[in-house]
Amino acid sequence: MLTLQKLFENVKSKIKNSYKIDEIDNIRIKYLGKKGIFSNCIKNLKNSSFEEKKKFFIVFNEIKKKIINQINKKKIELNKIILDQRIEKEKIDVSLPGRCRENGIIHPINHSINYIKNFFSQLGFESINGFEIEDEYHNFDALNIPKDHPARNNNDTFWFDEHRLLRTQTSSMQIRIMKKEKPPIRFIFPGKVYRNDYDSTHTPMFHQVEGLIVEKNINFSNLKWIIYNFLHDFFDKNISIRFRPSYFPFTTPSAEVDIITNVGQSLEVLGCGMVHPSVLKNVNIDSNFYSACAFGIGIERITMLRYGISDLRSFFENDIRFIKQFKHI
Ligand code: DAH
């Protein structure tokens, strides 16, 4: 009896000090298996009396039951530890935001260009971009710009050589298209232009859209109507528009158009006028027969006004935070 009790204490402490399922299984086999220590105890009973055997088995079964209980309990405990460790190891942080692919955003300048193209296509204008590398003839000479005009200066214009340059205005396209097409002509020319300027309202590259109509009876009122309608459509609010007499070598009469903001600030957004007879002559269009009007809109200017952008340079700094603001335009 005493040995049984001793054995039990022994097994108990072994179970307690086991940390692996294998170890527990080995204890079970060693003590309770067919050829285990407990079975051996029974063999020793061979010569005992019935009463002794009875007493023995009462205690024996009790202890066996306790051991099985302890083994099962320990196994549950160990399995829980194993599971906890696995959960900890394979943990997925579901609160982490997923990796998503971001959609690109149309740059506000491109958005304005698309808007302008769409507006003018409804009035029957075709659109072409033209060349950014121009020659002196199309950019200046044919547009009636005198040889000594300051705009031709190295300080303003990026020259490649004596004759080739980065176009300083989309007006050069007026010449190219009038030489190529027969009237009636209705075109817009959106695109990049280049000037040697850099501050909060100027960048060396910016965008203009030129418009040109050559028809039999086109006049300044037609031009004004188009400009008014375009600006009122583009700024879908009640803006004030001011036509201010101005001078451009390639138009006469000429005007500049300002937009007066609700705080009374005025900003020049375009130049326009009736194409100068000398320019028409340069492209062999008879000004007694045809008249032509033209306009040149600063795309950055109107885009800044429309979205309240104060520094023109922010369009081209590639700051993703700036661009992202235009997700829903
Ligand atoms: N090309 C002029 C500029 O860059 C803008 C301009 C003025 C265009 C009058 C025109 C026009 O077509 O008629 O400042």
Side-chain angles (χ1 to χ4, degrees):
M1 251 11 120
L2 208 68
T3 37
L4 271 181
Q5 201 57 44
K6 242 186 174 170
L7 261 177
F8 177 57
E9 294 303 324
N10 218 340
V11 181
K12 231 166 81 173
S13 90
K14 281 201 170 156
I15 293 174
K16 199 175 155 207
N17 294 324
S18 301
Y19 297 100
K20 284 185 179 158
I21 299 280
D22 286 0
E23 287 174 26
I24 298 288
D25 281 338
N26 287 340
I27 292 172
R28 186 179 50 77
I29 293 163
K30 187 174 168 192
Y31 286 89
L32 304 179
K34 264 191 194 151
K35 291 176 187 165
I37 294 176
F38 275 83
S39 299
N40 273 343
C41 292
I42 298 171
K43 279 181 201 158
N44 296 338
L45 278 179
K46 247 193 260 165
N47 303 324
S48 306
S49 69
F50 176 77
E51 273 311 304
E52 275 172 338
K53 281 182 183 167
K54 195 177 159 190
K55 261 189 193 165
F56 175 85
F57 274 108
I58 290 170
V59 180
F60 178 87
N61 286 336
E62 187 76 4
I63 286 177
K64 210 174 151 185
K65 223 161 95 186
K66 277 187 187 166
I67 294 175
I68 291 172
N69 260 345
Q70 300 234 334
I71 285 179
N72 288 343
K73 241 166 85 184
K74 185 74 181 190
K75 270 192 166 179
I76 291 172
E77 224 172 77
L78 287 180
N79 274 328
K80 189 176 176 308
I81 292 172
I82 291 169
L83 187 67
D84 285 349
Q85 282 170 346
R86 212 176 118 193
I87 289 173
E88 184 57 35
K89 214 168 106 189
E90 295 174 8
K91 194 160 80 177
I92 300 169
D93 183 355
V94 287
S95 67
L96 264 182
R99 256 177 247 135
C100 58
R101 202 171 287 180
E102 290 205 31
N103 285 337
I105 294 158
I106 294 184
H107 192 282
I109 294 298
N110 283 335
H111 188 267
S112 293
I113 291 175
N114 292 341
Y115 190 100
I116 291 167
K117 277 189 189 171
N118 187 38
F119 177 87
F120 283 99
S121 79
Q122 289 169 38
L123 298 183
F125 284 75
E126 278 178 64
S127 169
I128 51 171
N129 291 0
F131 311 117
E132 287 171 31
I133 295 177
E134 259 303 356
D135 55 45
E136 188 181 21
Y137 174 77
H138 291 90
N139 197 85
F140 294 125
D141 300 345
L143 284 165
N144 215 19
I145 297 173
K147 284 279 180 212
D148 58 355
H149 195 284
R152 295 190 185 227
N153 202 303
N154 268 338
N155 295 335
D156 285 329
T157 300
F158 296 109
W159 292 91
F160 289 105
D161 53 37
E162 243 179 279
H163 301 294
R164 283 183 313 153
L165 48 96
L166 281 173
R167 70 175 175 195
T168 62
Q169 49 184 352
T170 43
S171 305
S172 56
M173 284 307 291
Q174 289 188 30
I175 305 301
R176 288 194 177 274
I177 213 75
M178 286 194 288
K179 278 202 303 194
K180 192 163 161 257
E181 302 275 332
K182 291 257 160 298
I185 291 170
R186 246 181 224 208
F187 268 92
I188 57 165
F189 314 106
K192 293 185 170 74
V193 295
Y194 302 84
R195 288 181 204 173
N196 197 358
D197 268 334
Y198 189 69
D199 58 39
S200 67
T201 51
H202 298 89
T203 47
M205 183 282 297
F206 60 103
H207 298 77
Q208 289 185 331
V209 60
E210 191 82 11
L212 175 71
I213 307 177
V214 187
E215 270 170 36
K216 273 197 180 131
N217 287 312
I218 200 83
N219 59 39
F220 202 86
S221 315
N222 301 140
L223 176 64
K224 249 180 130 175
W225 185 91
I226 290 172
I227 303 289
Y228 263 97
N229 276 280
F230 167 68
L231 291 175
H232 276 138
D233 190 73
F234 188 81
F235 298 98
D236 42 14
K237 50 189 166 191
N238 283 334
I239 43 145
S240 320
I241 300 168
R242 177 173 63 196
F243 267 75
R244 183 165 39 78
S246 186
Y247 171 78
F248 295 101
F250 40 91
T251 45
T252 183
S254 306
E256 279 176 305
V257 177
D258 301 327
I259 283 184
I260 325 278
T261 64
N262 45 10
V263 284
Q265 213 183 4
S266 77
L267 195 73
E268 181 211 321
V269 292
L270 64 90
C272 63
M274 299 306 296
V275 177
H276 198 289
S278 313
V279 174
L280 293 178
K281 194 168 157 226
N282 288 338
V283 292
N284 292 324
I285 289 179
D286 186 349
S287 56
N288 295 316
F289 215 63
Y290 289 108
S291 52
C293 68
F295 54 87
I297 305 171
I299 297 180
E300 279 77 4
R301 289 282 174 90
I302 56 171
T303 309
M304 283 167 84
L305 263 182
R306 185 168 175 181
Y307 301 114
I309 297 162
S310 54
D311 192 327
L312 190 147
R313 291 169 294 196
S314 44
F315 283 126
F316 309 117
E317 276 167 352
N318 278 339
D319 186 334
I320 200 88
R321 292 165 304 177
F322 171 77
I323 306 290
K324 270 189 176 166
Q325 295 177 88
F326 299 93
K327 217 173 192 160
H328 303 295
I329 57 173

